[in-house]
Amino acid sequence: SLTGNPFAESSTGQNEIGFYTGIKHQIKKKHIFSAYADFFQFQWLRFRMYQPNSGWDALVRYQYVLNKKTNFTFQYRTEEKPRTSSQEDITYLIDIIKKQQMMMSMQHQASDNWKFQTRIQFTQVNNPQIQKGIALAQDVSYKHQSITIHYRYCIFDISDFDARQYIVERDVWSSASLPVLNGQGSRSYLLLQYKYNRALSFWIRYTHTFLKNVDEIGSGLEATMGNTRNEIKFQVMVNF
């Protein structure tokens, strides 16, 4: 299909050959194991690659359900892929990029109203220098009748963009937020949802970002002078 959107390593799937396999197994509802392996090969040139190339990606995930209110998750992912060297004095040299990622999280439903989640994730990249990145996030959720509140505070320390971190954030209805965490700093947000009745709902979201040792956040038209950025979103939904 000329307009197909296949499951692939690249965004288009053009000139790509690959093999993917995955497994999931559950033992007595308390132990959940899942894993996958993905092998891919490109038979022609592509972005940041000046020759045919191949690579692989694998992930292992284990979830332990302590009880109905508490569960733990452990995840390890590793990948290896070639990339044209970024060294200025060398042309057409290929570096093998090796990336390892680890994630641990705990989720606890303290009561009908309160829910807590702690998450830590770490990345190490050989490109060919070793770069590291770590992020720690604490989530608190509160729900009472028609009011729902979500709060997160996250700190991070990233030595290079290749070791950047991603953690999905809650946002207003029908909107997604997946910010790039790079450098040293912190990021927090507060999301308030109020359902007045079946026809009328409100959302308001405040986000604060702090970066250490920078004079500007973002680039182009989205650049903000200084090392802090504040964002506010407000949304109203009316159902007819």
Side-chain angles (χ1 to χ4, degrees):
S1 173
L2 297 178
T3 59
N5 186 22
F7 175 73
E9 170 69 14
S10 64
S11 58
T12 61
Q14 296 176 348
N15 298 318
E16 181 177 345
I17 298 174
F19 173 77
Y20 175 92
T21 183
I23 186 173
K24 184 176 182 180
H25 182 62
Q26 183 170 338
I27 303 176
K28 296 182 179 180
K29 297 183 179 181
K30 283 186 173 291
H31 307 276
I32 304 173
F33 298 89
S34 57
Y36 75 75
D38 181 20
F39 302 89
F40 48 88
Q41 181 180 13
F42 296 90
Q43 299 181 319
W44 195 240
L45 313 184
R46 64 190 182 100
F47 178 67
R48 303 192 76 174
M49 277 301 306
Y50 296 133
Q51 66 181 37
N53 57 92
S54 62
W56 59 272
D57 178 14
L59 179 144
V60 178
R61 182 184 180 96
Y62 167 65
Q63 184 176 7
Y64 174 62
V65 181
L66 180 64
N67 49 49
K68 293 182 178 180
K69 295 183 178 181
T70 307
N71 66 78
F72 302 86
T73 302
F74 305 89
Q75 179 177 291
Y76 174 75
R77 181 183 180 187
T78 179
E79 62 177 319
E80 183 175 306
K81 61 180 67 174
R83 191 174 70 188
T84 301
S85 177
S86 59
Q87 300 182 46
E88 298 180 355
D89 57 339
I90 300 179
T91 305
Y92 303 132
L93 177 67
I94 303 302
D95 289 333
I96 302 300
I97 308 300
K98 299 180 180 179
K99 178 184 289 188
Q100 299 182 77
Q101 297 172 296
M102 290 177 284
M103 184 276 293
M104 295 181 292
S105 71
M106 182 195 72
Q107 185 171 293
H108 177 63
Q109 185 78 45
S111 66
D112 293 338
N113 303 107
W114 292 95
K115 183 178 181 180
F116 302 89
Q117 181 174 1
T118 304
R119 179 188 182 106
I120 183 171
Q121 50 190 57
F122 172 80
T123 300
Q124 177 174 300
V125 182
N126 294 39
N127 63 346
Q129 296 81 18
I130 295 179
Q131 307 291 348
K132 298 179 180 180
I134 188 171
L136 173 64
Q138 177 64 57
D139 291 80
V140 180
S141 298
Y142 175 78
K143 185 175 183 179
H144 179 69
Q145 296 180 356
S146 57
I147 298 177
T148 304
I149 301 174
H150 300 286
Y151 174 76
R152 170 182 291 171
Y153 182 75
C154 175
I155 56 176
F156 52 90
D157 187 354
I158 319 294
S159 63
D160 185 81
F161 186 72
D162 281 340
R164 62 193 179 277
Q165 301 291 316
Y166 296 95
I167 304 181
V168 177
E169 295 181 350
R170 295 179 181 271
D171 211 324
V172 299
W173 183 78
S174 193
S175 182
S177 179
L178 185 63
V180 178
L181 303 179
N182 188 34
Q184 292 181 314
S186 64
R187 180 177 172 88
S188 60
Y189 75 87
L190 178 67
L191 176 64
L192 171 63
Q193 178 185 354
Y194 175 62
K195 188 174 182 180
Y196 181 72
N197 53 39
R198 293 184 178 180
L200 187 62
S201 297
F202 301 89
W203 287 264
I204 184 168
R205 185 178 190 264
Y206 170 72
T207 307
H208 174 76
T209 304
F210 164 76
L211 291 179
K212 188 178 179 181
N213 300 325
V214 299
D215 299 321
E216 184 180 82
I217 298 179
S219 60
L221 298 177
E222 295 185 354
T224 302
M225 298 303 297
N227 62 352
T228 61
R229 169 182 283 182
N230 300 293
E231 302 174 61
I232 296 178
K233 285 184 180 180
F234 180 72
Q235 179 172 293
V236 178
M237 183 173 68
V238 181
N239 294 319
F240 297 96

